[in-house]
Amino acid sequence: MSQSEFEIVSNISELIKIAVQVIMFIILWVAVFGARKEKRDGIVAGLFFFTNIGIWFLPWASWVRYAISVVIAIGYSGISHKKQIGKAVFTILAFYNFHCLSFLIANSIYMKLTSARMESLDGLQNGYEQQVYHSMAVGISLTLFFYTVLFVVMTVVFCRLIKGMTIMIWQDVIMLSILNFVGSMMASMVNNLLVVRIDTGVFILFEERPDLLWKIPMIAVLIYAGETALVYFWQRYRVLLAERQKHFVEEQQVKAMKQRLEEAENFYGSIRKVRHEMKNHMANIKGLAETGQYGEIDEYVQRMDASMQALEYKYATGNAVTDVIINDKWRKAEKAGIRFEADFRYDGEIPVFDLGIILDNLLDNAIEACEKLEQGKGFIRLVLKKRKQFLLLTVENSFDGIVSMGKESSFPHTTKQSACPEIVTEHGIGLKNVHDIAERYYGGVNIKVKKDIFYVTVMLQQ
């Protein structure tokens, strides 16, 4: 094989290697960000592919192609994936690590095969130069084959592992990318040390240290195994965290409803007690009237009226549970100097258990927000409307105008200190409960803020 033929084989191998890299990056990207079938995504993937191929034909260093690819990937993630730049950084580092580790292992195989082939050649034999080029061409082809197989296996295994990955915060990105960074840096250093020019000639690492021919690939495999294990356990941790949070939320829901039912039982118990004592009250009033103590009668009736007001329901909603919840929140609001209005009529369109959780959470949040204001400036307005098969529940309340909306969530961050911070992390369980119940009834939660007024609208489908 002549030198020109060898150069053709080398160039074709390099083009194939670039094509493999781009395809693996796109596969890894889709796995991390989730499969999408929009026409725009296909166009961007095609442009990304041909851009990498086109840059190879230009007289630029290979790092320029990687730099341009990184800029394109991060820019695209910021535009099309709600600015999930952390995920993009993780994907880029994982890809580069797999590329470096695959090349390192394949290059070790190439060096072993090439050195063995070169030792078998006779330098005095005719056509020695052609045999050298032929051996190098075979070595390059085998390197490309092993590189492609290793890269594909690493990427496919990793993609199956990270399928369905949730939103990543920067702490997760840093933790999961440490081994990717270490692996790629180690591979780059070893590749730079494989062949080093010195004053007296050339230093070839594997000739000086032949034991590294199996040690370096073993280290590369262990780095890859460590990265996959780290991602696997992180995924399991996230699942466990979600299950714990779900269990915690369900416990809070049951606890809240038990409290409401106890309040209802106590209320109706008080009514039965008053009815039982009414005969004694009437006998006392009759006795005072017979003795002519009319002033005492007036005072006695006022005391009875005060005790009866404690049992009065200002809002009759049509259901005992919602009666208890709304009137209980009204009393708390009145006690705190908060104006409370309710236009609420419930006819059992959805289970009262779920509606009670929604009311309990939204009204508690509203009262808490109003308590931060000056006395008399807080107000809460509760409205339930029916639109065909839909229920629209709106809670409107005043607040201090300070709200911090989550970057990855439509809910504002909580200002409460959780008793279980490792379970409830991004926001309080109140709005999360409401959102989960709304989705269960094919609805949703809409939050609006206008100056110092906070609006929450919950849509539920009967």
Side-chain angles (χ1 to χ4, degrees):
M1 175 179 286
S2 63
Q3 181 179 355
S4 60
E5 291 174 335
F6 170 74
E7 290 178 353
I8 292 174
V9 172
S10 178
N11 290 334
I12 292 174
S13 299
E14 190 66 24
L15 273 175
I16 295 175
K17 186 173 74 171
I18 293 173
V20 169
Q21 291 174 4
V22 176
I23 292 172
M24 291 302 102
F25 180 79
I26 293 173
I27 291 174
L28 188 61
W29 183 277
V30 172
V32 173
F33 283 90
R36 298 176 65 181
K37 298 182 180 180
E38 296 182 10
K39 184 178 180 181
R40 180 182 62 180
D41 297 322
I43 294 174
V44 172
L47 290 174
F48 186 75
F49 180 86
F50 288 110
T51 299
N52 276 269
I53 298 296
I55 292 175
W56 180 82
F57 288 97
L58 299 176
W60 292 347
S62 59
W63 67 266
V64 175
R65 180 171 64 86
Y66 288 125
I68 293 175
S69 299
V70 167
V71 172
I72 293 173
I74 291 180
Y76 180 68
S77 69
I79 295 172
S80 298
H81 294 278
K82 298 180 180 179
K83 300 181 179 181
Q84 297 182 34
I85 298 177
K87 267 190 177 183
V89 172
F90 168 77
T91 305
I92 292 168
L93 290 175
F95 158 79
Y96 190 67
N97 182 36
F98 300 159
H99 152 67
C100 291
L101 296 179
S102 300
F103 183 76
L104 189 62
I105 298 173
N107 198 41
S108 299
I109 298 173
Y110 164 75
M111 296 295 291
K112 178 64 177 177
L113 295 176
T114 303
S115 62
R117 175 62 177 169
M118 290 299 183
E119 290 176 358
S120 66
L121 297 178
D122 186 1
L124 300 177
Q125 187 179 3
N126 292 333
Y128 173 75
E129 185 177 350
Q130 287 78 10
Q131 291 180 7
V132 170
Y133 282 127
H134 179 267
S135 298
M136 293 174 64
V138 172
I140 289 175
S141 300
L142 289 174
T143 301
L144 177 62
F145 171 76
F146 287 115
Y147 168 79
T148 302
V149 171
L150 289 167
F151 205 169
V152 170
V153 170
M154 286 184 181
T155 303
V156 171
V157 171
F158 200 74
C159 287
R160 291 177 65 88
L161 181 65
I162 63 176
K163 189 176 181 181
M165 178 175 282
T166 57
I167 293 174
M168 297 177 65
I169 59 177
W170 277 105
Q171 290 90 330
D172 296 332
V173 174
I174 294 172
M175 179 188 70
L176 297 178
S177 298
I178 290 176
L179 281 178
N180 285 328
F181 183 78
V182 170
S184 59
M185 290 300 100
M186 188 211 73
S188 298
M189 288 189 297
V190 172
N191 286 325
N192 291 332
L193 294 173
L194 288 178
V195 179
V196 181
R197 294 185 181 275
I198 56 178
D199 295 337
T200 57
V202 177
F203 171 81
I204 300 177
L205 179 64
F206 289 146
E207 288 184 357
E208 299 295 329
R209 294 293 303 274
D211 59 308
L212 295 180
L213 277 171
W214 65 269
K215 288 183 179 179
I216 288 178
M218 182 63 67
I219 293 173
V221 171
L222 291 176
I223 290 176
Y224 174 77
E227 174 62 21
T228 53
L230 182 62
V231 172
Y232 172 78
F233 287 116
W234 176 77
Q235 291 265 72
R236 295 298 302 168
Y237 169 75
R238 298 292 295 184
V239 171
L240 178 62
L241 194 65
E243 291 176 353
R244 290 178 63 188
Q245 181 166 340
K246 181 180 178 181
H247 180 67
F248 179 76
V249 167
E250 290 174 350
E251 284 187 346
Q252 296 301 309
Q253 292 175 346
V254 173
K255 183 179 179 180
M257 289 310 302
K258 283 183 176 179
Q259 183 179 354
R260 298 285 81 81
L261 293 174
E262 288 175 0
E263 291 174 354
E265 184 178 353
N266 293 335
F267 177 80
Y268 287 113
S270 299
I271 291 178
R272 289 192 297 269
K273 182 179 179 181
V274 169
R275 290 178 59 186
H276 177 73
E277 294 177 350
M278 190 58 66
K279 292 181 179 180
N280 294 332
H281 290 311
M282 295 304 297
N284 292 336
I285 292 173
K286 184 178 179 181
L288 292 172
E290 289 177 353
T291 58
Q293 301 181 44
Y294 300 109
E296 295 292 336
I297 293 176
D298 183 60
E299 184 179 349
Y300 193 91
V301 170
Q302 287 181 5
R303 288 200 303 268
M304 286 183 59
D305 184 58
S307 63
M308 293 297 293
Q309 284 181 0
L311 302 174
E312 179 186 358
Y313 267 4
K314 181 177 180 180
Y315 298 102
T317 66
N319 181 273
V321 175
T322 53
D323 279 352
V324 171
I325 295 174
I326 294 176
N327 283 279
D328 178 58
K329 303 305 178 187
W330 161 65
R331 291 191 184 94
K332 290 182 179 179
E334 290 288 314
K335 187 176 180 181
I338 303 168
R339 289 181 288 113
F340 189 99
E341 301 175 10
D343 182 5
F344 193 98
R345 182 68 187 178
Y346 172 68
D347 296 325
E349 291 83 359
I350 66 170
V352 70
F353 179 86
D354 293 329
L355 185 62
I357 293 172
I358 294 174
L359 285 171
D360 202 57
N361 284 308
L362 294 185
L363 293 177
D364 276 345
N365 290 344
I367 292 173
E368 180 189 354
C370 291
E371 286 176 340
K372 297 178 181 179
L373 304 176
E374 295 181 13
Q375 188 79 10
K377 289 190 176 182
F379 76 89
I380 299 172
R381 186 175 295 112
L382 169 67
V383 178
L384 180 66
K385 296 180 180 179
K386 301 174 186 177
R387 295 288 186 272
K388 296 182 179 179
Q389 75 272 26
F390 295 98
L391 290 180
L392 296 176
L393 190 153
T394 302
V395 175
E396 171 187 350
N397 64 272
S398 55
F399 76 116
D400 57 11
I402 301 174
V403 62
S404 175
M405 302 298 292
K407 293 182 180 180
E408 307 293 351
S409 170
S410 58
F411 301 134
H413 288 299
T414 183
T415 58
K416 299 177 182 178
Q417 295 295 324
S418 174
C420 301
E422 72 280 4
I423 298 176
V424 184
T425 52
E426 294 181 2
H427 45 70
I429 65 172
L431 288 176
K432 182 65 168 59
N433 285 353
V434 174
H435 178 265
D436 291 344
I437 294 174
E439 284 193 335
R440 196 183 307 161
Y441 292 95
Y442 306 100
V445 179
N446 183 34
I447 298 175
K448 292 183 179 179
V449 177
K450 293 183 180 179
K451 294 183 179 180
D452 58 351
I453 302 178
F454 194 87
Y455 301 85
V456 180
T457 300
V458 181
M459 184 183 73
L460 304 169
Q461 188 170 183
Q462 299 178 35

